[in-house]
Amino acid sequence: MRRECKCHGVSGSCEMRTCWKAMPTFNKVGDILKDKFDGATEVKPLESSQLIPLNPQFKPHTDQDLVYLEASPDFCEPDKKTGSLGTHGRYCNKTSKAIDGCDLMCCGRGYNTRQVKVVERCKCKFQWCCSVRCKTCERLVDEHVCQ
């Protein structure tokens, strides 16, 4: 929560101020959570109900940090227990650095590239009254598939 205020008075002279607590924007909350997720630390509990980092090279967490007790399952390979189908044979985006990118989605196994012919409607024109006429265009597209 953050404090927001509004001034009241003649021409915004701020003779009187009204303040309240306001939630940050949805995007701001999402950015904060993503940063915390990216910096989260795996911990293990001690008998004293204290949590310490699993990796001793990591600094102890604060009350503001995000921690987790179990690592996420490996979604790269099929796993019936978790319901994961793995990423073999999945289409990926060669130029993306995000989760749909071939480097990340293919889990370092690499990917195959093939050219496919795509047939689509193009150069469409509206015909008076009430119809649209299009030509058929073909183009070659690269598809990238995880190995």
Side-chain angles (χ1 to χ4, degrees):
M1 299 289 280
R2 68 182 192 289
R3 183 179 166 148
E4 285 187 5
C5 297
K6 183 175 183 176
C7 289
H8 306 282
V10 179
S11 297
S13 64
C14 215
E15 292 175 23
M16 187 172 116
R17 246 168 68 159
T18 305
C19 297
W20 60 92
K21 294 252 185 199
M23 287 284 292
T25 65
F26 187 75
N27 286 346
K28 181 71 175 168
V29 171
D31 289 344
I32 292 168
L33 286 173
K34 176 74 167 89
D35 287 343
K36 288 188 180 291
F37 176 81
D38 289 341
T41 304
E42 186 172 6
V43 295
K44 64 180 177 183
L46 293 178
E47 289 180 19
S48 62
S49 73
Q50 184 181 7
L51 299 173
I52 62 165
L54 195 63
N55 183 338
Q57 295 178 350
F58 291 166
K59 65 175 179 54
H61 64 278
T62 68
D63 290 342
Q64 302 299 312
D65 291 331
L66 189 62
V67 297
Y68 58 97
L69 293 171
E70 293 180 24
S72 294
D74 178 11
F75 293 105
C76 294
E77 299 299 327
D79 184 354
K80 289 182 181 179
K81 189 173 116 185
T82 61
S84 172
L85 301 174
T87 60
H88 295 276
R90 294 270 309 265
Y91 292 97
C92 60
N93 182 342
K94 181 181 175 181
T95 59
S96 175
K97 297 294 180 200
I99 198 159
D100 66 334
C102 293
D103 293 337
L104 192 56
M105 186 181 292
C106 299
C107 306
R109 294 185 311 262
Y111 56 92
N112 296 322
T113 301
R114 64 182 179 217
Q115 280 196 331
V116 294
K117 183 171 36 172
V118 175
V119 178
E120 56 193 4
R121 293 171 41 164
C122 63
K123 300 178 184 170
C124 298
K125 291 189 178 182
F126 177 73
Q127 301 288 317
W128 185 262
C129 166
C130 310
S131 69
V132 176
R133 295 220 175 149
C134 300
K135 293 189 177 184
T136 302
C137 295
E138 294 180 0
R139 62 185 175 104
L140 291 176
V141 177
D142 287 340
E143 282 184 344
H144 309 288
V145 181
C146 293
Q147 294 179 356

